[in-house]
Every structure is written in C-alpha cells, then in structure tokens.
Amino acid sequence: MERAEAGEINSNECENVSRKKKMSEEFEANTMNSLVDMPFATVDIQDDCGITDEPQINLKRSQENEWIKSDQVKKKKKKQKDYQPNYFLSIPITNKEIIKGIKIVQNAIIQQDERLAKAMVSDGSFHITLLVMQLLNEDEVNIGIDALLELKPFIEELLQGKHLTLPFQGIGTFGNQVGFVKLAEGEHVKSLLEIAETANRTFQEKGILAGDSRSFKPHLTFMKLSKSPWLRKNGVKKIDPDLYEKFISHRFGEEIVYRIDLCSMLKKKQSNGYYHCESSIVIGEKNGGEPDDAELVRLSKRLVENAVLKAVQQYLEETQNKNKPGEGSSVKTEAADRNGNDNENNRK
C-alpha cells in the first residue's frame, strides 16, 4: 500500500468530506422545509425559550395605558377641584303668606341677637334650588338654556296637568350654619326629586358640570352665617336653636310651582331682590292669573318706555309747529295778550 507523499491530497478523503458536507446540507434543508409547515414556523428561538420581544411590547403598552389612566384621573380631579358652581335652577317663592311668615321668624331672631341681621336672606331672594352648575362663558349659558327648555315636556308629562304644590312647615339647619324652612313630607317631594334628577342628567349629558356631592334636600333658606365673615370674627359661630324654638312646627303656607329659572349667583340682582335670570320655563298658570314680580318689573319698564316715547313725540311735534311760518307770530300775540291782561289786573 502506497503512502501519500507530503503535500499531496488524498482523493478518497476529499470525496468523503464532500459527501458528508452534501448530506448535512440536504438534511438541514429537509428539516427546514418540514418546519415551515408547522404552526410555530415563524416563532423565533427566543420565543420558544420565553425570551421574546412581545412581553416587552405589552409591558410598554401597559405602562402607556397606566399613564393615560393616570392622566385622565388627574384631569378629572382637576375638574372637580376647579368646579365652582356659578349658576343654579331656581323655583322662586312668591306666596306672600310664606314670605310674611319668614320675615316674622327673621325679626324674632334679630330681636334676640342683632348681629344676625347680617346673616338674613332678603325676601326677594327666597327660592328652592333644584340644581347647581358651572357655566363659564356665553356659549355654555346658551347650552344651559337649551337644557332648561328640554325639561319642560318632561315636567308636564310628570305632572299630567296637575299643580305641584309645596307645603312648608317647621325650621331646620345645616350644621347650625344655614337656617331654612322645611318642606313638609308627601308625594310632592318625590315629584321634586324626579325633576331634580332629570335636570342633573340633562345638563350633564350636554357637557355641563352640574350637581354636587351632597344628596338633594329641597329647602327654603332664610339665613346663613357665611353671608358675613364679620359674624365669626365677632364670636357668632353657629345658629342657636333657642333662637327659633317657637317656630319649630310653624306652618308657613304652600307654594304652587309655576316657574323654573336659570339664575346667576354672581351677576347683579334684579331691582326686586331676585337673582339675575337668564331664562325660564313656565310649569303652570298662577292662581287667578296673578302676575309674578319679574313680570311686573317687565310691565313697568314697558310703561315707562311708552311714556318716554310719547313725551319725545309730543316735544318733536311742538318744535315742528314753532318752526312753521305764522305760527311764531300767533304765539307771540297770545303771550302779549296775556301780559296785557296781567297788567290790567294789577292796576285793579
């Protein structure tokens, strides 16, 4: 057997190496072809070992979602923090019997403590608040007006042509800081609650920030210590129940709801003491067709305007007549005649 010389290549060995390499490549190709048809063909080896990019993506998305939620919560808290109601839905109290009864209570309290005169609500401002809200500009006020107008058909359907009568009896306080006349119990409370809830929902659906955290408790406020910070500085920190003890069960009268107003807390009040009113809905006619205070104010303004207009027209007519030819001489003649007669009378 001949030994290959140094530097020469053994042809058999080359063929063996070449054959092994070819078989290896064919095996690898066949293996890959079979794997392509499997459901996990596109999964990287890192996926198989649990070391994938997917969880990192999910983690990133999860973090982004958390940031979004956190931002939404912050914005919601900011809205709640910035929420300062400046408008409200009001049921005006116009029954003279109720107003007279409240003024008697107010005077009785003031007689016992004159300092509390600063805490009293003026009689033109008596009302029941249905809903408070925040309206920041004219556009939002117009949206609020639209929401109020949408309430009317609901209230009419709820009442079915009947009057909503609110009887007032007794006195209560909120934390001895706000004094109010109580609304007596009855079916009318349920109707009032339904109206208030519908109003809240209607305004919120229109994007208006409305309502507050407290549950709705209809009441007629007649005094509140917060009206005058001077009171606390001078030792008046609460309303003493003894001041109104004899009126605890007093019957003040009944108010028939016939109007709901959208009022401003901040704008200048009307001349009758009632709040600035942006818009109103009429629920039912008042007994005997008696006009309300706001209507009387409008009527008075109309009468004054008519009187001024007539005076101006009369002045213009007289001015035109004086400028006509011959008119001026006749006026002078009449004046001279009057002067002559006066002189004769003086002689006599």
Side-chain angles (χ1 to χ4, degrees), residues 3-69:
R3 182 181 298 174
E5 294 181 4
E8 291 185 358
I9 299 174
N10 191 318
S11 61
N12 291 334
E13 287 183 2
C14 286
E15 287 178 3
N16 291 337
V17 170
S18 177
R19 194 179 298 112
K20 287 180 181 179
K21 185 177 180 181
K22 186 176 180 180
M23 289 176 64
S24 176
E25 287 175 355
E26 288 176 355
F27 176 79
E28 185 176 352
N30 291 335
T31 303
M32 290 303 298
N33 288 336
S34 62
L35 287 174
V36 166
D37 296 329
M38 302 297 288
F40 50 84
T42 57
V43 179
D44 189 82
I45 188 63
Q46 289 180 323
D47 295 337
D48 194 46
C49 297
I51 310 171
T52 68
D53 292 330
E54 183 77 359
Q56 292 178 2
I57 295 171
N58 289 338
L59 180 61
K60 189 175 181 181
R61 287 176 182 171
S62 178
Q63 288 175 343
E64 288 176 355
N65 291 335
E66 287 298 323
W67 290 335
I68 292 170
K69 287 179 182 178

